[in-house]
Amino acid sequence: MAGWWGPSGWQTENRAFNFKSDGVWHYCMRCTDENQGEFYNQESWGKAVYQEITVPGKVVLTDMFADEEGNAADGMPVILVTLTFVEHEGKTKPIMRSRFASVEGLQQVMGMGIVQGCALKFYRLDDLLDKLQELW
């Protein structure tokens, strides 16, 4: 996850990563790209708690903004994320659905660029998978 999570120009550090039911992923994304102006050196902490993991097809988690200690950030929404993997034309297609407790919470993160951020991390995952495939 640390190799592709987050937008280009940001590096992710895992503070904790326990990929199992009730496991926690606590991480920090840091902007390492000087060309991103005011974002350079900015940190964004997050935390996910895995609710369900069904191999090979489904992961359900709660995702939240957090602080360095892993506490949920005040005033920020908690997002229920369901990630499913389906076969499509001989390949695996990930489908990510996010559920918010309120329209206001959705609007809050939409204003922060969540749609663009999610798209960018999947492009980074594609790039990483291409590089890994070259090694095989």
Side-chain angles (χ1 to χ4, degrees):
M1 299 279 290
W4 61 273
W5 191 261
S8 296
W10 291 67
Q11 186 171 9
T12 299
E13 172 193 331
N14 292 331
R15 177 67 56 94
F17 187 76
N18 296 308
F19 188 66
K20 62 181 184 176
S21 292
D22 295 323
V24 171
W25 176 35
H26 182 214
Y27 61 92
C28 178
M29 296 185 304
R30 286 186 189 83
C31 182
T32 57
D33 181 1
E34 293 180 8
N35 295 320
Q36 292 192 22
E38 66 185 55
F39 293 107
Y40 180 63
N41 280 332
Q42 181 177 337
E43 291 185 351
S44 179
W45 287 88
K47 180 179 174 183
V49 179
Y50 296 101
Q51 308 298 315
E52 175 187 346
I53 300 171
T54 306
V55 177
K58 183 177 176 183
V59 178
V60 179
L61 58 101
T62 53
D63 186 25
M64 64 198 79
F65 294 86
D67 63 17
E68 192 171 345
E69 287 78 36
N71 302 305
D74 290 333
M76 297 301 293
V78 174
I79 307 162
L80 180 65
V81 177
T82 302
L83 183 59
T84 54
F85 303 90
V86 296
E87 184 178 338
H88 179 74
E89 298 177 359
K91 297 181 179 182
T92 301
K93 177 180 178 179
I95 300 171
M96 188 169 85
R97 300 189 192 282
S98 300
R99 177 175 283 160
F100 294 80
S102 68
V103 171
E104 294 79 15
L106 170 62
Q107 290 172 337
Q108 184 178 9
V109 296
M110 291 286 289
M112 297 170 67
I114 192 171
V115 172
Q116 299 86 347
C118 285
L120 289 172
K121 66 184 160 200
F122 282 113
Y123 289 132
R124 288 185 67 194
L125 175 59
D126 282 344
D127 291 343
L128 177 63
L129 292 174
D130 286 343
K131 288 177 186 173
L132 291 174
Q133 228 171 14
E134 290 173 10
L135 295 175
W136 293 339

